[in-house]
Amino acid sequence: MAAVRRFFSDNKNAMTRKLHVSDDADSVACAAAEALIVHLGHAIRTHGRALLALAGGRTPEALYRRLAAPAQSARIDWPHVVLIVGDERCVPVDHPDSNEGMIRHHLLDRLPTAPAALLGWHYHGDPQAAVNAFSHAFAALDGGVAPRLDIALLGLGRDGHTASLFPQQPCPPGIAAVTHAPDGQPRMTLGHDTLAAARARLFLACGRDKAHALGLVWQGTDLPATALANAEWFVDEAAAIHADDEM
Ligand SMILES: O=C1O[C@H](COP(=O)(O)O)[C@@H](O)[C@H](O)[C@H]1O
């Protein structure tokens, strides 16, 4: 098993949270890759395919490269995996801020075998039109009814946001166009209930600058990441310093 230094499991109010604390960001990527490989295999054996929603930002880059590395990649039945970009900024895929661009660069373009599909947002100037097209393509995965995700891989912003669900904003249902409150930046995102319905949620958080937000989540403060309970968290020692106090 990859380098998890400490493990906590917390069962309260009918929810279970697990915290895997590793030494550093590379060890977090190793531990999360092992967990994802297990979840993907289970979903494919049980449902014939795995619907995997992917986090954007910078933290998952090392995990994506690890999943694409020969030793890990060979353990994943990629033709039965559907990759779904969990949230996106309103930028073209070749823009440095594009989550899909990051996922292509660190994961998709390195895979020896193509996955079943990559579902992205295809923004061309109108966020709602992109959301409508994405919703249609998502539902088409199951003959017209939005399917249940098998795994949602999520990140944690310094303000406690996850995907593009921001604090002090209404948590949109389904799939939605949203506005990032602090700077008015438009985004497109899987909504709270779509992520909450996933069969498994895996969060990543690395670095000292995530410690405050992670501590608030583990205290139960009302934040979008807190609201997605029943999750496994993969974090490094630097991010865990306040979460540890809550265990
Ligand atoms: O805005 C976003 O931020 C979060 C966290 O990103 P990170 O680089 O701080 O890990 C990310 O999970 C989300 O997909 C992204 O759009």
Side-chain angles (χ1 to χ4, degrees):
M1 179 64 190
V4 172
R5 180 175 280 273
R6 287 176 288 128
F7 172 73
F8 304 97
S9 184
D10 179 21
N11 296 288
K12 266 190 219 132
N13 306 323
M15 63 152 194
T16 303
R17 298 186 299 187
K18 293 179 180 169
L19 183 68
H20 305 259
V21 184
S22 299
D23 282 349
D24 52 30
D26 282 344
S27 305
V28 169
C30 294
E34 290 305 310
L36 256 182
I37 289 169
V38 171
H39 280 294
L40 289 169
H42 178 74
I44 294 167
R45 282 192 304 280
T46 311
H47 308 293
R49 68 168 184 202
L51 301 184
L52 169 61
L54 293 171
R58 299 273 87 93
T59 309
E61 291 177 355
L63 167 61
Y64 295 160
R65 288 197 303 276
R66 185 161 179 93
L67 288 175
Q72 282 69 39
S73 183
R75 295 162 59 202
I76 299 171
D77 182 3
W78 289 107
H80 289 96
V81 177
V82 178
L83 300 175
I84 298 163
V85 181
D87 72 301
E88 188 60 287
R89 293 167 176 80
C90 292
V91 295
V93 172
D94 60 1
H95 189 283
D97 291 342
S98 166
N99 284 339
E100 181 175 337
M102 181 278 285
I103 289 164
R104 285 182 177 278
H105 179 68
H106 292 280
L107 179 63
L108 191 69
D109 295 351
R110 298 166 192 249
L111 290 179
T113 315
L118 171 74
L119 179 54
W121 296 86
H122 305 294
Y123 170 74
H124 296 295
D126 178 352
Q128 192 55 51
V131 164
N132 294 346
F134 182 100
S135 303
H136 186 77
F138 186 58
L141 291 170
D142 253 5
V145 180
R148 185 174 175 192
L149 293 171
D150 290 294
I151 307 145
L153 180 72
L154 294 156
L156 177 69
R158 280 180 291 182
D159 59 356
H161 83 265
T162 189
S164 284
L165 304 174
F166 291 94
Q168 276 94 50
Q169 297 288 303
C171 256
I175 296 169
V178 295
T179 300
H180 176 195
D183 63 5
Q185 185 185 52
R187 304 272 192 116
M188 303 159 298
T189 190
L190 297 178
H192 171 82
D193 54 354
T194 302
L195 295 166
R199 293 185 172 92
R201 273 162 299 288
L202 273 54
F203 278 87
L204 299 180
C206 293
R208 179 72 182 82
D209 63 336
K210 299 295 174 70
H212 179 67
L214 188 62
L216 292 177
V217 169
W218 281 77
Q219 270 171 26
T221 304
D222 182 19
L223 290 169
T226 316
L228 290 165
N230 287 318
E232 274 189 82
W233 287 78
F234 292 85
V235 310
D236 67 359
E237 290 285 5
I241 51 171
H242 300 311
D244 275 355
D245 300 343
E246 303 302 321
M247 303 308 302

